[in-house]
Amino acid sequence: MRKKRKRNNRIQHLLKIICLELVVIVLLLLCFVYILPRNPVSEIILDFIEEKPLVVLDAGHGGYDVGSEFNGVYEKNITLEITKKVGEELERRDIPVTYTRDSDHVDWPSDELQDLEERVHISNTSGASLFISIHTNATETKDGQGFEIWAKTSDEQTEKLAENIEQEVVTLPYITDRGIKDEQTSPLHVLHYNELPAVLIEAGFLESKEDCEYLLVEEKQTELAKEIADGIENTLKDMGVLQDDVK
């Protein structure tokens, strides 16, 4: 009886040690993730503890890079507001998203190439299904107007994504449809090196009175975001990622 009790005590003691070691290992791994977030081990761990997004949303420019500018209006501010509204609309429909940036702060160096490479890295390691980059347009002649979408038209799924978004956005009253542009005629880094179906939306021209007045009004930004979200949702349904009952 005494031997059995001793054996049980040893087993309980061993189990306590094992549990303690497991707790220490988990804590060390979590510290590793937060101290060195960009490494293969961290990415594997995050796959288990984070919900995978379906959509990567990229607000063009940001931080050191203001993008195009007209009469004191910066592209980076408009793109951020519209992008966040698209994200809010998608999440309202239970479509998880992730952002390349969700504020004017950027986590990468003030270098254009490293900036673009980081955005592509976020997309390619996200586990998402789609990538959407939102910009505003500009011309040297200051007479541009309208909405256009850049995409790899040679890729059937990417072209369908562009068509679905275009079909929704052209219903808005401010817009002049400049159509879908083939990225291969003027390669864009965030599309060219992206492994996901990816499009870049030029939401309008800051130098256009009609475009700018629409893009600067919060209510109108929300309308635009809803139409973009509709196009994204329809594409996810086409891909079989979403069921038709998602609202």
Side-chain angles (χ1 to χ4, degrees):
M1 185 73 177
R2 188 179 302 167
K3 288 183 178 180
K4 186 175 180 180
R5 189 180 299 116
K6 286 183 178 180
R7 187 166 61 249
N8 289 337
N9 289 339
R10 284 198 299 268
I11 291 173
Q12 290 176 1
H13 181 66
L14 181 60
L15 288 174
K16 287 179 181 178
I17 292 174
I18 292 172
C19 290
L20 181 60
E21 289 177 344
L22 287 173
V23 170
V24 171
I25 290 171
V26 170
L27 290 174
L28 288 173
L29 288 173
L30 290 174
C31 290
F32 187 57
V33 167
Y34 288 103
I35 294 172
L36 296 171
R38 292 285 302 279
N39 65 80
V41 175
S42 294
E43 290 175 2
I44 292 172
I45 295 170
L46 289 173
D47 279 345
F48 285 99
I49 63 176
E50 291 184 352
E51 180 182 33
K52 281 185 180 295
L54 289 180
V55 181
V56 179
L57 296 175
D58 174 48
H61 307 282
Y64 72 98
D65 179 10
V66 302
S68 59
E69 182 271 337
F70 190 73
N71 288 342
V73 178
Y74 292 153
E75 176 179 2
K76 68 172 185 175
N77 296 331
I78 293 179
T79 61
L80 181 61
E81 290 304 312
I82 295 173
T83 300
K84 288 169 68 175
K85 286 178 170 59
V86 173
E88 289 166 3
E89 182 63 30
L90 290 172
E91 289 179 331
R92 187 185 67 78
R93 308 177 192 195
D94 295 326
I95 300 173
V97 305
T98 190
Y99 300 90
T100 58
R101 69 179 181 100
D102 57 8
S103 71
D104 191 40
H105 172 75
V106 293
D107 294 324
W108 45 83
S110 302
D111 176 86
E112 183 177 3
L113 179 58
Q114 291 184 61
D115 181 316
L116 297 173
E117 287 178 341
E118 179 62 20
R119 293 172 195 260
V120 172
H121 175 80
I122 291 170
S123 178
N124 289 343
T125 58
S126 66
S129 299
L130 300 173
F131 173 92
I132 289 83
S133 184
I134 297 177
H135 288 250
T136 62
N137 219 335
T139 63
E140 292 183 2
T141 55
K142 305 298 182 186
D143 60 356
Q145 183 176 353
F147 174 99
E148 66 191 34
I149 302 175
W150 288 82
K152 289 182 182 178
T153 57
S154 59
D155 179 75
E156 182 178 351
Q157 190 62 71
T158 300
E159 185 175 34
K160 185 62 176 174
L161 169 62
E163 290 173 349
N164 283 344
I165 293 174
E166 179 190 32
Q167 180 179 330
E168 301 297 331
V169 174
V170 293
T171 62
L172 295 173
Y174 87 98
I175 207 68
T176 297
D177 185 11
R178 294 167 58 92
I180 296 171
K181 311 293 184 182
D182 185 2
E183 182 269 343
Q184 293 181 359
T185 65
S186 181
L188 300 169
H189 194 102
V190 293
L191 303 185
H192 192 74
Y193 296 99
N194 213 306
E195 297 171 5
L196 303 181
V199 298
L200 187 148
I201 299 170
E202 297 280 10
F205 287 80
L206 295 185
E207 66 256 29
S208 163
K209 183 175 183 292
E210 292 81 3
D211 288 3
C212 194
E213 285 182 351
Y214 199 93
L215 295 173
L216 284 177
V217 177
E218 184 173 1
E219 179 184 344
K220 304 300 183 183
Q221 291 176 354
T222 300
E223 290 179 1
L224 174 59
K226 183 181 183 302
E227 301 304 331
I228 294 173
D230 284 347
I232 294 170
E233 180 182 344
N234 290 338
T235 304
L236 291 171
K237 288 178 179 178
D238 291 341
M239 296 169 68
V241 177
L242 285 184
Q243 301 300 316
D244 285 338
D245 58 351
V246 174
K247 301 297 183 182

